[in-house]
Amino acid sequence: MWIFLVRPFFATQLPIAVVVRRFFMSAPPIQIFQKYRHLQMFLFERSFYERHIYERKAGLSADHVHGPANGHFDARKFSVQYRGQFLVAQISENAMTALSLVFPVQNFANAIAIGFGIGISSQIAICLGAGNRETASKAATHGLALSGLHGVILTIGCILVMPGFLALFTGDTDVIDLGIRYSTIVFLFATINTLNLAYEKIFQGVGKMKITMIGLLVGCVSNIILDPLLIFGLGPFPALGIEGAALATGLGQVFNLVFYLIVYKIKPLQVQLSRSHLHPDMALAARLYSVGIPGALNLALPSVLVSALNGLLAAYSQSYVVILGIYYKLQTFLYLPASGIVQGMRPVIGYNYGAGEHKRVKKIYYVTLCMSGVIMLVGTIICLTVPGQLIGMFTTNPQTIAAGKTALRIICAGFLISSVSVTACGALEGLGRGTASLIVSLCRYLIIILPAAFILSHFFGAVGVWNAFWIAEALTAGVSLLISKRVIGGIIP
């Protein structure tokens, strides 16, 4: 399972000519990754003189000045939500349905943690770019404390709402029971998760992308090892079923957080976490939330979208709900590297913006857009050529596989153009323009796609819902280009 899932993940990082060749050959994943790492470092390479000036301004490491060589590893989705999905599908289709229905609330909780973390990272990068370490340290300390508070609130709130939430979408008592059992354990780790993601964003904000990559691998490998042990009860471990998948995810987050704490203790950062920085600072909190709230909403909007689409699709067949859930699992392996590159772009673009290097901001934006476009093109080719095999990873029902093939082939028409809005959102967040980024996401996940899905489903059934995806992506791309021009004032024309 590890090689089967990870090889495509690394392969989609490469330029198109290399991707197509490597994806179907047997080169070890680490070799593919290393080649792409060298390419990305080359694209962000600075001259020795420029590097010297930047490092003297804020004492940044070479990783931060050059751009994150490993920024394409996006820890939030791959390490928290999806690694056990393949094994859970082996339990039963009801188990897979339960996870599909829990996904929106789980994604909402992660969105709050990640979105606020984006605010932390953005403020740290901008302050360091301007040479203000003290304010950057305050932003990191306040952000970590507030993240812990968010985690406590999420634990209580999500556990309380899950029974009623699941009942809105299914009357199957077995699906509801499986969903409650899974979600209760997952949300007990919500505080650990929010702190884990806050540390991730702090490390990213100072350019330590290699640390976050290793932290991801710590959580990822431990989760992959624990999944089969706890789900199926291998060796001395009890067979916990769907609860085992939830526990494996939570323990992976714990190991990830412990790793960050150890690294922070033995390897000081450019920002310092200290109680002395916890004095109330409303202006700083406002800046954190000005990016954090829109960032969280950007990430939470897919939850709203999935919930609404589940309601539309359930009217036709429960199988379409399963297909939608499977699609969101599959698209993780496509949008994961793209959003990871964007994630790596945020501190670099924010730092250069804070340093007044607007030409470099423009260059970083276009390089990121091209990389994302290549990944989306590869994803489109894969979905067009082997849709049945992709759906078959999660279900053996022939009717579900047949309908899923149609869905994938239609939805993938919007992959390539979506790179425009994905890159624009990341750039706007990195520059501290959270509200503008939110407008783009509202168009992509709410304003355009939901009315389109509602109208088209009345004429074409479930197929109309699938067509709403590419229509929304095409229209949102135009909106994102327009907003980028107006908000950034010509920095990204």
Side-chain angles (χ1 to χ4, degrees), residues 111-112 114-123 126 284-299 346 425-438:
I112 291 176
I114 298 161
F116 188 71
I118 291 172
I120 299 172
S121 179
S122 174
Q123 287 304 308
I126 291 174
L284 176 59
R287 292 199 299 273
L288 289 172
Y289 280 109
S290 69
V291 177
I293 291 176
L297 291 175
N298 283 345
L299 296 167
R346 288 192 191 105
C425 279
L428 291 167
E429 288 168 352
L431 296 169
R433 307 302 205 273
T435 302
S437 176
L438 175 60

Side-chain angles (χ1 to χ4, degrees), residues 270-282:
Q270 290 87 352
V271 296
Q272 296 299 314
L273 302 172
S274 172
R275 292 182 181 178
S276 63
H277 295 318
L278 281 176
H279 298 297
D281 188 334
M282 298 305 294

Side-chain angles (χ1 to χ4, degrees), residues 228-230 232-239:
L229 298 178
L230 296 176
F232 303 116
L234 304 180
F237 294 90

Side-chain angles (χ1 to χ4, degrees), residues 97-121:
T97 303
L99 262 65
S100 298
L101 294 176
V102 170
F103 167 77
V105 178
Q106 191 177 358
N107 189 57
F108 175 77
N110 287 328
I112 291 176
I114 298 161
F116 188 71
I118 291 172
I120 299 172
S121 179

Side-chain angles (χ1 to χ4, degrees), residues 376-398:
M376 295 303 170
L377 179 59
V378 173
T380 302
I381 295 172
I382 294 172
C383 287
L384 287 174
T385 54
V386 290
Q389 290 87 330
L390 295 175
I391 298 294
M393 291 169 55
F394 298 93
T395 181
T396 57
N397 187 314

